[in-house]
């Protein structure tokens, strides 16, 4: 199910809601009760449930040697530059 982000234009209240795609759009703010609660344009968010390829292939469940695991931890803690070299939206310059 997708996760939608809403924001009230009256009071500024902002919250994420887990909704089916077929659910009606929310329009009443749960904070102030006004009808100015609008869906925001944001990155797609969803939850995968059950046991599928995503649970077995992408959760890092594979076994690694203890030396490789320690090296990976040390590299991530050393403050090395991100792969994008800091030029993406996540790392503004």
């Amino acid at each position: 199910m997708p996760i939608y982000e809403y924001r009230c234009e009256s009071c500024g209240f902002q919250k994420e809601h887990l909704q089916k795609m077929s659910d009606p759009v929310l329009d009443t703010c749960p904070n102030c009760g006004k009808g100015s609660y609008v869906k925001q344009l944001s990155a797609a968010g969803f939850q995968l449930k059950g046991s599928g390829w995503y649970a077995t292939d992408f959760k890092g469940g594979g076994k690694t040697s203890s030396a490789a695991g320690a090296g990976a931890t040390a590299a991530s803690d050393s403050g090395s530059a991100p792969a994008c070299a800091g030029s993406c939206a996540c790392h503004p310059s």
Side-chain angles (χ1 to χ4, degrees), residues 6 13 17 24 26 28-31 38 41 51 60 66 69 72-73 78-79 85:
Y6 285 82
F13 179 77
H17 295 274
L26 301 175
T28 305
C29 176
N31 189 47
V38 293
L41 180 62
S51 60
S66 60
T73 303
S78 67

Side-chain angles (χ1 to χ4, degrees), residues 68-81:
T73 303
S76 65
D77 291 341
S78 67
S80 61

Side-chain angles (χ1 to χ4, degrees), residues 19-68:
Q19 293 180 288
K20 293 180 184 176
M21 293 179 76
S22 60
D23 286 348
V25 175
L26 301 175
D27 60 357
T28 305
C29 176
N31 189 47
C32 70
K34 294 186 178 175
S36 58
Y37 205 46
V38 293
K39 190 186 299 188
Q40 298 294 297
L41 180 62
S42 60
F46 59 94
Q47 293 178 343
L48 299 174
K49 294 186 178 184
S51 60
W53 58 267
Y54 53 86
T56 57
D57 295 345
F58 293 108
K59 282 195 173 180
K63 293 182 180 179
T64 60
S65 69
S66 60

